[in-house]
Amino acid sequence: MDFFRVAGKITLFEGLDSRDLELIAAQSLIKSFEKGELLFYEGDELPYWYFVVEGVLRSYKLSHDEHEISICYNETSMALSDIRFDKNHYTTKTFGTIEAQSKGTLIGIKTSSLPLLFMQCPQFALRCFHSVLVSVENYQRTFFNNMVLDAMGKVAFMLAHDLDKFNRLKKQEIAALLNIQPETLSRLLGKLVRKEIIKTDGDVVILDRDALKSLYN
């Protein structure tokens, strides 16, 4: 698969000149995946730092009783793994098990080549930093929801902050992400509709944003 055609689909590579892209391409690979495929397991140390080009992947951890706890959904331009810098080299390790929710494509950049690439392509380094911040924000939201909010607060928070994603995902996927039962999600959405905070005409539409925010603030 052609690196330049695939790279043009994500913001990570936007605006980079041909020289930078050629340097990155020489240290990269393209990886396709199918729906339901388990790509990586929690704690895997990877030789490549992967970014999502197309498709949706779910990151989750297993509790002591083997219960799946969703961390986040990884989407376009998001980094898939944690990255560390120690003694002048980078390591990438998966924070959770990563399962494909659809078919799609990844770009992987050789981890051992990152110091040289960042030195030679500073604009690319900035793009990678931004992608990491987006990934961290997603993880923070998940931890905040699971540690602080009740079920209604989780649903309200996702509606207020990730409405597009809420409308794009299936109910069972949303329930898994919020670590609640699908029946609970349906019941809470019905309650929000009855209170005229939202309406559900196919997609969810927020009618009273202040009332919605009061459920998690």
Side-chain angles (χ1 to χ4, degrees), residues 152-153 156 160 195 197 208-217:
M152 177 60 88
K195 290 187 172 184
I197 295 175
D208 190 338
R209 187 165 291 274
D210 289 338
L212 189 66
K213 288 181 178 180
S214 70
L215 298 172
Y216 60 84
N217 278 341

Side-chain angles (χ1 to χ4, degrees), residues 77-104:
S77 291
M78 283 183 62
L80 276 190
S81 54
D82 185 21
I83 186 164
R84 305 282 177 90
F85 184 73
D86 183 41
K87 297 179 181 177
N88 295 319
H89 73 279
Y90 289 92
T91 58
T92 54
K93 185 177 289 189
T94 52
F95 190 68
T97 297
I98 298 174
E99 178 185 47
Q101 302 296 290
S102 68
K103 65 183 299 183

Side-chain angles (χ1 to χ4, degrees), residues 110-123:
K110 191 178 292 184
T111 307
S112 60
S113 300
L114 288 173
L116 180 62
L117 289 175
F118 288 164
M119 182 177 65
Q120 294 182 328
C121 314
Q123 187 63 33

Side-chain angles (χ1 to χ4, degrees), residues 2-14 21 53 107:
D2 181 65
F3 171 87
F4 298 94
R5 182 176 62 82
V6 174
K9 296 181 179 182
I10 60 175
T11 56
L12 183 66
F13 301 101
E14 277 183 4
L21 289 173
V53 178
I107 282 182

Side-chain angles (χ1 to χ4, degrees), residues 13-124:
F13 301 101
E14 277 183 4
L16 298 181
D17 60 34
S18 57
R19 171 190 166 276
D20 287 351
L21 289 173
E22 287 172 2
L23 288 171
I24 297 165
Q27 305 298 328
S28 301
L29 61 76
I30 309 299
K31 180 180 176 66
S32 299
F33 55 85
E34 298 295 327
K35 183 177 181 181
E37 183 179 348
L38 280 175
L39 278 77
F40 309 110
Y41 289 92
E42 179 182 342
D44 283 350
E45 189 166 323
L46 307 176
Y48 288 84
W49 192 22
Y50 288 100
F51 294 84
V52 182
V53 178
E54 296 174 310
V56 179
L57 299 127
R58 180 171 72 103
S59 295
Y60 66 87
K61 297 178 79 70
L62 290 177
S63 65
H64 293 300
D65 60 357
E66 299 297 305
H67 175 66
E68 292 183 5
I69 302 171
S70 292
I71 302 171
C72 76
Y73 279 80
N74 302 87
E75 299 177 317
T76 301
S77 291
M78 283 183 62
L80 276 190
S81 54
D82 185 21
I83 186 164
R84 305 282 177 90
F85 184 73
D86 183 41
K87 297 179 181 177
N88 295 319
H89 73 279
Y90 289 92
T91 58
T92 54
K93 185 177 289 189
T94 52
F95 190 68
T97 297
I98 298 174
E99 178 185 47
Q101 302 296 290
S102 68
K103 65 183 299 183
T105 310
L106 304 175
I107 282 182
I109 302 163
K110 191 178 292 184
T111 307
S112 60
S113 300
L114 288 173
L116 180 62
L117 289 175
F118 288 164
M119 182 177 65
Q120 294 182 328
C121 314
Q123 187 63 33
F124 176 61

